[in-house]
Amino acid sequence: KEKPQECVVAAVGNGKVNDDGSVTPLEVSAGDRVLIGKYSGTEVELDGEEHLIIRQDDVLAILS
């Protein structure tokens, strides 16, 4: 079994848009430490730094 990764949230979006057009706010915020699955998200490189884009559903736990 793979161990989860600990990450720091750099930025968050506005939330999830529901079928009826309403927006569900996110539970995580910038600066939070979170646990995510080893193979979650998509890796991107911006300004020479690697970032991981994930959905809130991929967050296993919020540490702080």
Side-chain angles (χ1 to χ4, degrees):
K1 188 174 182 180
E2 299 291 334
K3 292 185 180 180
Q5 295 178 321
E6 182 178 329
C7 301
V8 176
V9 178
V12 297
N14 295 329
K16 182 177 181 179
V17 178
N18 300 316
D19 292 335
D20 63 359
S22 63
V23 177
T24 303
L26 299 174
E27 296 177 22
V28 297
S29 57
D32 285 351
R33 289 183 13 227
V34 296
L35 288 179
I36 62 170
K38 177 119 176 120
Y39 299 107
S40 298
T42 303
E43 293 180 6
V44 295
E45 186 172 327
L46 297 171
D47 299 327
E49 292 184 17
E50 290 188 15
H51 296 276
L52 184 66
I53 298 174
I54 64 168
R55 297 168 42 120
Q56 180 170 278
D57 298 342
D58 294 331
V59 174
L60 302 175
I62 301 171
L63 302 176
S64 64

Short mmCIF file of all heavy atoms in Angstrom, two decimals:
data_model
loop_
_atom_site.label_atom_id
_atom_site.label_comp_id
_atom_site.label_asym_id
_atom_site.label_seq_id
_atom_site.Cartn_x
_atom_site.Cartn_y
_atom_site.Cartn_z
N LYS A 1 0.85 -1.19 0.00
CA LYS A 1 0.00 0.00 0.00
C LYS A 1 0.88 1.24 0.00
O LYS A 1 1.84 1.34 0.76
CB LYS A 1 -0.90 -0.03 1.23
CG LYS A 1 -1.95 1.03 1.23
CD LYS A 1 -2.90 0.85 2.40
CE LYS A 1 -3.98 1.89 2.34
NZ LYS A 1 -4.93 1.78 3.42
N GLU A 2 0.53 2.20 -0.84
CA GLU A 2 1.29 3.43 -0.96
C GLU A 2 0.94 4.39 0.18
O GLU A 2 -0.21 4.50 0.58
CB GLU A 2 1.00 4.12 -2.29
CG GLU A 2 1.35 3.29 -3.49
CD GLU A 2 2.84 3.10 -3.68
OE1 GLU A 2 3.63 3.95 -3.23
OE2 GLU A 2 3.22 2.08 -4.28
N LYS A 3 1.96 5.10 0.67
CA LYS A 3 1.75 6.08 1.73
C LYS A 3 1.26 7.39 1.11
O LYS A 3 1.70 7.76 0.02
CB LYS A 3 3.05 6.34 2.49
CG LYS A 3 3.51 5.15 3.29
CD LYS A 3 4.73 5.52 4.09
CE LYS A 3 5.20 4.34 4.91
NZ LYS A 3 6.38 4.68 5.71
N PRO A 4 0.36 8.10 1.79
CA PRO A 4 -0.11 9.39 1.27
C PRO A 4 1.01 10.44 1.36
O PRO A 4 1.95 10.30 2.13
CB PRO A 4 -1.28 9.75 2.18
CG PRO A 4 -1.09 8.95 3.40
CD PRO A 4 -0.32 7.73 3.02
N GLN A 5 0.89 11.48 0.55
CA GLN A 5 1.84 12.58 0.55
C GLN A 5 1.28 13.74 1.35
O GLN A 5 0.09 14.01 1.31
CB GLN A 5 2.10 13.07 -0.87
CG GLN A 5 2.77 12.08 -1.77
CD GLN A 5 2.93 12.65 -3.17
OE1 GLN A 5 2.05 13.32 -3.68
NE2 GLN A 5 4.06 12.37 -3.79
N GLU A 6 2.18 14.44 2.05
CA GLU A 6 1.79 15.65 2.77
C GLU A 6 2.15 16.84 1.89
O GLU A 6 3.26 16.94 1.38
CB GLU A 6 2.52 15.75 4.11
CG GLU A 6 2.12 16.96 4.91
CD GLU A 6 2.80 17.02 6.26
OE1 GLU A 6 3.10 15.96 6.84
OE2 GLU A 6 3.04 18.14 6.74
N CYS A 7 1.21 17.75 1.69
CA CYS A 7 1.40 18.91 0.83
C CYS A 7 0.89 20.16 1.52
O CYS A 7 0.09 20.09 2.45
CB CYS A 7 0.64 18.74 -0.48
SG CYS A 7 1.12 17.31 -1.43
N VAL A 8 1.34 21.31 1.04
CA VAL A 8 0.84 22.60 1.50
C VAL A 8 0.04 23.21 0.36
O VAL A 8 0.51 23.25 -0.78
CB VAL A 8 1.99 23.54 1.91
CG1 VAL A 8 1.46 24.91 2.29
CG2 VAL A 8 2.79 22.95 3.05
N VAL A 9 -1.16 23.67 0.66
CA VAL A 9 -2.04 24.26 -0.35
C VAL A 9 -1.52 25.66 -0.68
O VAL A 9 -1.41 26.52 0.19
CB VAL A 9 -3.49 24.34 0.16
CG1 VAL A 9 -4.39 25.01 -0.87
CG2 VAL A 9 -4.00 22.96 0.53
N ALA A 10 -1.18 25.89 -1.96
CA ALA A 10 -0.67 27.18 -2.40
C ALA A 10 -1.81 28.14 -2.76
O ALA A 10 -1.73 29.33 -2.47
CB ALA A 10 0.26 27.01 -3.59
N ALA A 11 -2.85 27.61 -3.39
CA ALA A 11 -3.98 28.44 -3.81
C ALA A 11 -5.21 27.57 -3.98
O ALA A 11 -5.09 26.36 -4.15
CB ALA A 11 -3.65 29.14 -5.13
N VAL A 12 -6.37 28.17 -3.91
CA VAL A 12 -7.64 27.45 -4.11
C VAL A 12 -8.52 28.23 -5.07
O VAL A 12 -8.37 29.44 -5.24
CB VAL A 12 -8.40 27.21 -2.78
CG1 VAL A 12 -7.61 26.32 -1.85
CG2 VAL A 12 -8.74 28.51 -2.10
N GLY A 13 -9.46 27.53 -5.67
CA GLY A 13 -10.42 28.16 -6.57
C GLY A 13 -11.63 28.67 -5.80
O GLY A 13 -11.63 28.75 -4.57
N ASN A 14 -12.68 28.99 -6.54
CA ASN A 14 -13.90 29.54 -5.94
C ASN A 14 -14.80 28.48 -5.32
O ASN A 14 -15.60 28.78 -4.45
CB ASN A 14 -14.71 30.31 -6.98
CG ASN A 14 -13.96 31.52 -7.47
OD1 ASN A 14 -13.19 32.12 -6.73
ND2 ASN A 14 -14.16 31.88 -8.72
N GLY A 15 -14.69 27.25 -5.79
CA GLY A 15 -15.55 26.19 -5.29
C GLY A 15 -16.09 25.37 -6.43
O GLY A 15 -15.79 25.61 -7.60
N LYS A 16 -16.92 24.40 -6.09
CA LYS A 16 -17.49 23.51 -7.11
C LYS A 16 -18.84 24.04 -7.55
O LYS A 16 -19.70 24.35 -6.72
CB LYS A 16 -17.65 22.11 -6.52
CG LYS A 16 -18.18 21.11 -7.50
CD LYS A 16 -18.26 19.72 -6.90
CE LYS A 16 -18.78 18.75 -7.93
NZ LYS A 16 -18.86 17.40 -7.42
N VAL A 17 -19.04 24.13 -8.86
CA VAL A 17 -20.32 24.59 -9.42
C VAL A 17 -21.23 23.38 -9.55
O VAL A 17 -20.89 22.38 -10.18
CB VAL A 17 -20.12 25.26 -10.78
CG1 VAL A 17 -21.46 25.69 -11.36
CG2 VAL A 17 -19.18 26.44 -10.68
N ASN A 18 -22.39 23.45 -8.91
CA ASN A 18 -23.36 22.36 -8.94
C ASN A 18 -24.20 22.42 -10.21
O ASN A 18 -24.15 23.39 -10.96
CB ASN A 18 -24.27 22.44 -7.70
CG ASN A 18 -23.47 22.33 -6.43
OD1 ASN A 18 -22.58 21.51 -6.31
ND2 ASN A 18 -23.78 23.20 -5.47
N ASP A 19 -24.99 21.38 -10.44
CA ASP A 19 -25.83 21.30 -11.64
C ASP A 19 -26.83 22.45 -11.72
O ASP A 19 -27.20 22.89 -12.81
CB ASP A 19 -26.58 19.98 -11.67
CG ASP A 19 -25.65 18.80 -11.90
OD1 ASP A 19 -24.56 19.00 -12.48
OD2 ASP A 19 -26.02 17.68 -11.49
N ASP A 20 -27.28 22.96 -10.56
CA ASP A 20 -28.25 24.05 -10.57
C ASP A 20 -27.60 25.43 -10.65
O ASP A 20 -28.27 26.44 -10.60
CB ASP A 20 -29.16 23.96 -9.34
CG ASP A 20 -28.40 24.13 -8.03
OD1 ASP A 20 -27.16 24.30 -8.05
OD2 ASP A 20 -29.05 24.07 -6.97
N GLY A 21 -26.26 25.48 -10.77
CA GLY A 21 -25.55 26.75 -10.91
C GLY A 21 -25.04 27.33 -9.61
O GLY A 21 -24.29 28.30 -9.61
N SER A 22 -25.45 26.77 -8.46
CA SER A 22 -24.95 27.26 -7.19
C SER A 22 -23.51 26.79 -6.98
O SER A 22 -23.08 25.81 -7.57
CB SER A 22 -25.84 26.78 -6.04
OG SER A 22 -25.79 25.37 -5.95
N VAL A 23 -22.77 27.48 -6.15
CA VAL A 23 -21.36 27.17 -5.89
C VAL A 23 -21.22 26.65 -4.47
O VAL A 23 -21.65 27.30 -3.51
CB VAL A 23 -20.47 28.40 -6.10
CG1 VAL A 23 -19.03 28.09 -5.77
CG2 VAL A 23 -20.59 28.91 -7.52
N THR A 24 -20.61 25.46 -4.32
CA THR A 24 -20.30 24.90 -3.01
C THR A 24 -18.90 25.35 -2.62
O THR A 24 -17.94 25.05 -3.33
CB THR A 24 -20.36 23.36 -3.04
OG1 THR A 24 -21.65 22.95 -3.49
CG2 THR A 24 -20.08 22.77 -1.68
N PRO A 25 -18.75 26.10 -1.52
CA PRO A 25 -17.42 26.58 -1.13
C PRO A 25 -16.49 25.43 -0.74
O PRO A 25 -16.93 24.37 -0.31
CB PRO A 25 -17.69 27.50 0.07
CG PRO A 25 -19.06 27.16 0.54
CD PRO A 25 -19.79 26.53 -0.60
N LEU A 26 -15.18 25.66 -0.90
CA LEU A 26 -14.18 24.65 -0.57
C LEU A 26 -13.92 24.60 0.94
O LEU A 26 -14.06 25.61 1.64
CB LEU A 26 -12.88 24.96 -1.30
CG LEU A 26 -12.98 24.95 -2.83
CD1 LEU A 26 -11.67 25.43 -3.43
CD2 LEU A 26 -13.33 23.58 -3.33
N GLU A 27 -13.54 23.44 1.42
CA GLU A 27 -13.22 23.27 2.84
C GLU A 27 -11.76 23.57 3.14
O GLU A 27 -11.40 23.82 4.28
CB GLU A 27 -13.56 21.85 3.28
CG GLU A 27 -15.03 21.53 3.19
CD GLU A 27 -15.34 20.09 3.56
OE1 GLU A 27 -14.53 19.47 4.26
OE2 GLU A 27 -16.39 19.60 3.13
N VAL A 28 -10.91 23.54 2.12
CA VAL A 28 -9.49 23.84 2.32
C VAL A 28 -9.23 25.28 1.94
O VAL A 28 -9.97 25.89 1.17
CB VAL A 28 -8.58 22.90 1.48
CG1 VAL A 28 -8.73 21.46 1.91
CG2 VAL A 28 -8.84 23.05 0.01
N SER A 29 -8.16 25.84 2.49
CA SER A 29 -7.77 27.20 2.14
C SER A 29 -6.26 27.25 1.96
O SER A 29 -5.54 26.34 2.38
CB SER A 29 -8.23 28.19 3.22
OG SER A 29 -7.70 27.83 4.48
N ALA A 30 -5.79 28.31 1.34
CA ALA A 30 -4.36 28.46 1.09
C ALA A 30 -3.59 28.43 2.41
O ALA A 30 -4.01 29.02 3.40
CB ALA A 30 -4.09 29.76 0.35
N GLY A 31 -2.50 27.69 2.42
CA GLY A 31 -1.67 27.56 3.62
C GLY A 31 -1.95 26.32 4.43
O GLY A 31 -1.17 25.96 5.31
N ASP A 32 -3.06 25.63 4.18
CA ASP A 32 -3.39 24.39 4.90
C ASP A 32 -2.41 23.28 4.52
O ASP A 32 -1.97 23.19 3.37
CB ASP A 32 -4.80 23.91 4.57
CG ASP A 32 -5.88 24.72 5.23
OD1 ASP A 32 -5.57 25.55 6.09
OD2 ASP A 32 -7.06 24.51 4.87
N ARG A 33 -2.07 22.44 5.48
CA ARG A 33 -1.31 21.21 5.20
C ARG A 33 -2.33 20.10 5.03
O ARG A 33 -3.22 19.94 5.87
CB ARG A 33 -0.37 20.88 6.36
CG ARG A 33 0.80 21.82 6.46
CD ARG A 33 1.79 21.47 7.56
NE ARG A 33 1.60 20.14 8.11
CZ ARG A 33 1.58 19.85 9.41
NH1 ARG A 33 1.73 20.78 10.30
NH2 ARG A 33 1.41 18.61 9.82
N VAL A 34 -2.21 19.33 3.94
CA VAL A 34 -3.16 18.28 3.65
C VAL A 34 -2.44 16.99 3.28
O VAL A 34 -1.27 17.00 2.90
CB VAL A 34 -4.10 18.69 2.47
CG1 VAL A 34 -4.94 19.88 2.85
CG2 VAL A 34 -3.33 18.96 1.20
N LEU A 35 -3.16 15.87 3.41
CA LEU A 35 -2.68 14.58 2.94
C LEU A 35 -3.45 14.23 1.67
O LEU A 35 -4.67 14.38 1.62
CB LEU A 35 -2.93 13.49 3.98
CG LEU A 35 -2.07 13.51 5.23
CD1 LEU A 35 -2.48 12.36 6.15
CD2 LEU A 35 -0.60 13.42 4.90
N ILE A 36 -2.71 13.78 0.65
CA ILE A 36 -3.33 13.37 -0.60
C ILE A 36 -2.79 12.01 -1.00
O ILE A 36 -1.72 11.59 -0.53
CB ILE A 36 -3.07 14.38 -1.73
CG1 ILE A 36 -1.58 14.51 -2.03
CG2 ILE A 36 -3.68 15.72 -1.40
CD1 ILE A 36 -1.27 15.29 -3.28
N GLY A 37 -3.50 11.32 -1.86
CA GLY A 37 -3.05 10.04 -2.38
C GLY A 37 -1.79 10.20 -3.22
O GLY A 37 -1.57 11.24 -3.84
N LYS A 38 -0.97 9.17 -3.25
CA LYS A 38 0.32 9.22 -3.94
C LYS A 38 0.19 9.61 -5.41
O LYS A 38 1.01 10.34 -5.93
CB LYS A 38 1.01 7.87 -3.81
CG LYS A 38 2.31 7.77 -4.55
CD LYS A 38 3.43 7.48 -3.62
CE LYS A 38 4.72 7.27 -4.38
NZ LYS A 38 5.71 8.21 -4.00
N TYR A 39 -0.81 9.11 -6.10
CA TYR A 39 -0.94 9.35 -7.54
C TYR A 39 -2.08 10.31 -7.88
O TYR A 39 -2.62 10.26 -8.97
CB TYR A 39 -1.12 8.01 -8.26
CG TYR A 39 0.05 7.10 -8.04
CD1 TYR A 39 -0.06 5.99 -7.20
CD2 TYR A 39 1.27 7.35 -8.64
CE1 TYR A 39 1.03 5.16 -6.98
CE2 TYR A 39 2.37 6.52 -8.43
CZ TYR A 39 2.24 5.43 -7.60
OH TYR A 39 3.32 4.62 -7.39
N SER A 40 -2.43 11.20 -6.95
CA SER A 40 -3.53 12.14 -7.17
C SER A 40 -3.06 13.33 -8.00
O SER A 40 -1.91 13.74 -7.95
CB SER A 40 -4.05 12.67 -5.84
OG SER A 40 -4.57 11.63 -5.07
N GLY A 41 -3.99 13.91 -8.74
CA GLY A 41 -3.75 15.18 -9.40
C GLY A 41 -2.93 15.14 -10.66
O GLY A 41 -2.57 14.09 -11.17
N THR A 42 -2.62 16.34 -11.14
CA THR A 42 -1.84 16.55 -12.35
C THR A 42 -0.67 17.46 -12.03
O THR A 42 -0.86 18.54 -11.46
CB THR A 42 -2.71 17.22 -13.44
OG1 THR A 42 -3.86 16.40 -13.68
CG2 THR A 42 -1.95 17.42 -14.72
N GLU A 43 0.54 17.04 -12.40
CA GLU A 43 1.73 17.84 -12.14
C GLU A 43 1.92 18.86 -13.26
O GLU A 43 1.81 18.53 -14.43
CB GLU A 43 2.96 16.95 -12.05
CG GLU A 43 2.95 16.03 -10.85
CD GLU A 43 4.18 15.16 -10.78
OE1 GLU A 43 5.11 15.33 -11.61
OE2 GLU A 43 4.21 14.30 -9.89
N VAL A 44 2.20 20.12 -12.87
CA VAL A 44 2.49 21.18 -13.83
C VAL A 44 3.70 21.96 -13.33
O VAL A 44 4.00 21.96 -12.14
CB VAL A 44 1.30 22.15 -14.02
CG1 VAL A 44 0.11 21.46 -14.63
CG2 VAL A 44 0.91 22.82 -12.72
N GLU A 45 4.39 22.63 -14.26
CA GLU A 45 5.53 23.46 -13.88
C GLU A 45 5.22 24.90 -14.25
O GLU A 45 4.89 25.20 -15.41
CB GLU A 45 6.79 22.99 -14.61
CG GLU A 45 8.03 23.71 -14.13
CD GLU A 45 9.30 23.14 -14.71
OE1 GLU A 45 9.35 21.92 -14.94
OE2 GLU A 45 10.24 23.92 -14.94
N LEU A 46 5.31 25.80 -13.27
CA LEU A 46 5.06 27.23 -13.46
C LEU A 46 6.24 28.01 -12.93
O LEU A 46 6.61 27.86 -11.75
CB LEU A 46 3.79 27.67 -12.75
CG LEU A 46 2.48 27.05 -13.21
CD1 LEU A 46 1.36 27.43 -12.26
CD2 LEU A 46 2.15 27.48 -14.61
N ASP A 47 6.83 28.84 -13.75
CA ASP A 47 7.97 29.68 -13.36
C ASP A 47 9.09 28.86 -12.72
O ASP A 47 9.70 29.28 -11.73
CB ASP A 47 7.52 30.80 -12.41
CG ASP A 47 6.51 31.73 -13.06
OD1 ASP A 47 6.61 31.94 -14.28
OD2 ASP A 47 5.63 32.23 -12.34
N GLY A 48 9.35 27.66 -13.24
CA GLY A 48 10.43 26.83 -12.74
C GLY A 48 10.10 26.04 -11.48
O GLY A 48 10.93 25.32 -10.97
N GLU A 49 8.88 26.17 -10.96
CA GLU A 49 8.46 25.43 -9.76
C GLU A 49 7.42 24.40 -10.15
O GLU A 49 6.55 24.67 -10.97
CB GLU A 49 7.86 26.38 -8.72
CG GLU A 49 8.83 27.33 -8.09
CD GLU A 49 8.18 28.15 -6.99
OE1 GLU A 49 7.09 27.77 -6.51
OE2 GLU A 49 8.74 29.18 -6.63
N GLU A 50 7.53 23.21 -9.55
CA GLU A 50 6.54 22.17 -9.81
C GLU A 50 5.36 22.31 -8.86
O GLU A 50 5.54 22.55 -7.67
CB GLU A 50 7.18 20.79 -9.64
CG GLU A 50 8.16 20.46 -10.73
CD GLU A 50 8.63 19.03 -10.67
OE1 GLU A 50 8.00 18.21 -9.98
OE2 GLU A 50 9.65 18.74 -11.32
N HIS A 51 4.16 22.19 -9.41
CA HIS A 51 2.93 22.27 -8.64
C HIS A 51 2.07 21.07 -8.98
O HIS A 51 2.20 20.45 -10.03
CB HIS A 51 2.16 23.55 -8.95
CG HIS A 51 2.89 24.80 -8.57
ND1 HIS A 51 2.85 25.31 -7.30
CD2 HIS A 51 3.69 25.63 -9.28
CE1 HIS A 51 3.58 26.40 -7.25
NE2 HIS A 51 4.10 26.62 -8.45
N LEU A 52 1.16 20.74 -8.09
CA LEU A 52 0.23 19.64 -8.29
C LEU A 52 -1.19 20.19 -8.22
O LEU A 52 -1.57 20.81 -7.23
CB LEU A 52 0.45 18.58 -7.20
CG LEU A 52 -0.34 17.31 -7.29
CD1 LEU A 52 0.08 16.52 -8.53
CD2 LEU A 52 -0.11 16.45 -6.07
N ILE A 53 -1.96 19.99 -9.28
CA ILE A 53 -3.35 20.45 -9.30
C ILE A 53 -4.22 19.26 -8.94
O ILE A 53 -4.15 18.20 -9.59
CB ILE A 53 -3.72 20.98 -10.69
CG1 ILE A 53 -2.85 22.17 -11.03
CG2 ILE A 53 -5.20 21.35 -10.73
CD1 ILE A 53 -3.05 22.69 -12.44
N ILE A 54 -5.02 19.41 -7.87
CA ILE A 54 -5.90 18.32 -7.44
C ILE A 54 -7.30 18.85 -7.18
O ILE A 54 -7.52 20.04 -7.02
CB ILE A 54 -5.36 17.62 -6.16
CG1 ILE A 54 -5.35 18.58 -4.98
CG2 ILE A 54 -4.00 17.02 -6.39
CD1 ILE A 54 -5.12 17.89 -3.65
N ARG A 55 -8.24 17.93 -7.13
CA ARG A 55 -9.61 18.25 -6.75
C ARG A 55 -9.73 18.09 -5.23
O ARG A 55 -8.98 17.33 -4.63
CB ARG A 55 -10.58 17.30 -7.43
CG ARG A 55 -10.59 17.39 -8.92
CD ARG A 55 -11.33 16.25 -9.55
NE ARG A 55 -12.55 15.93 -8.83
CZ ARG A 55 -13.76 15.97 -9.35
NH1 ARG A 55 -13.91 16.27 -10.60
NH2 ARG A 55 -14.82 15.67 -8.62
N GLN A 56 -10.67 18.77 -4.65
CA GLN A 56 -10.87 18.64 -3.21
C GLN A 56 -11.21 17.20 -2.82
O GLN A 56 -10.86 16.74 -1.74
CB GLN A 56 -11.97 19.59 -2.72
CG GLN A 56 -12.19 19.48 -1.21
CD GLN A 56 -13.08 20.54 -0.68
OE1 GLN A 56 -12.62 21.63 -0.43
NE2 GLN A 56 -14.36 20.23 -0.52
N ASP A 57 -11.85 16.48 -3.72
CA ASP A 57 -12.20 15.08 -3.46
C ASP A 57 -10.97 14.20 -3.26
O ASP A 57 -11.06 13.14 -2.65
CB ASP A 57 -13.03 14.50 -4.61
CG ASP A 57 -14.36 15.23 -4.79
OD1 ASP A 57 -14.78 15.93 -3.84
OD2 ASP A 57 -14.97 15.09 -5.86
N ASP A 58 -9.81 14.63 -3.78
CA ASP A 58 -8.56 13.86 -3.64
C ASP A 58 -7.87 14.09 -2.29
O ASP A 58 -6.90 13.42 -1.97
CB ASP A 58 -7.58 14.21 -4.77
CG ASP A 58 -8.09 13.75 -6.12
OD1 ASP A 58 -8.85 12.76 -6.16
OD2 ASP A 58 -7.72 14.37 -7.13
N VAL A 59 -8.34 15.07 -1.52
CA VAL A 59 -7.75 15.36 -0.21
C VAL A 59 -8.24 14.30 0.79
O VAL A 59 -9.43 14.12 0.98
CB VAL A 59 -8.12 16.77 0.28
CG1 VAL A 59 -7.62 17.01 1.70
CG2 VAL A 59 -7.55 17.83 -0.67
N LEU A 60 -7.28 13.61 1.42
CA LEU A 60 -7.63 12.58 2.39
C LEU A 60 -7.87 13.17 3.78
O LEU A 60 -8.72 12.70 4.52
CB LEU A 60 -6.51 11.55 2.47
CG LEU A 60 -6.16 10.85 1.15
CD1 LEU A 60 -4.95 9.94 1.35
CD2 LEU A 60 -7.35 10.05 0.64
N ALA A 61 -7.08 14.21 4.14
CA ALA A 61 -7.22 14.83 5.47
C ALA A 61 -6.62 16.22 5.44
O ALA A 61 -5.68 16.50 4.71
CB ALA A 61 -6.50 13.99 6.52
N ILE A 62 -7.17 17.10 6.26
CA ILE A 62 -6.63 18.44 6.46
C ILE A 62 -5.92 18.42 7.80
O ILE A 62 -6.52 18.15 8.83
CB ILE A 62 -7.73 19.52 6.45
CG1 ILE A 62 -8.48 19.50 5.12
CG2 ILE A 62 -7.14 20.91 6.71
CD1 ILE A 62 -9.72 20.38 5.10
N LEU A 63 -4.58 18.69 7.77
CA LEU A 63 -3.78 18.61 9.00
C LEU A 63 -3.81 19.92 9.77
O LEU A 63 -3.69 19.92 10.98
CB LEU A 63 -2.34 18.21 8.66
CG LEU A 63 -2.22 16.87 7.91
CD1 LEU A 63 -0.78 16.63 7.54
CD2 LEU A 63 -2.76 15.73 8.78
N SER A 64 -3.86 21.05 9.09
CA SER A 64 -3.95 22.34 9.79
C SER A 64 -4.50 23.40 8.89
O SER A 64 -4.54 23.25 7.70
CB SER A 64 -2.56 22.77 10.27
OG SER A 64 -1.69 23.00 9.20
#
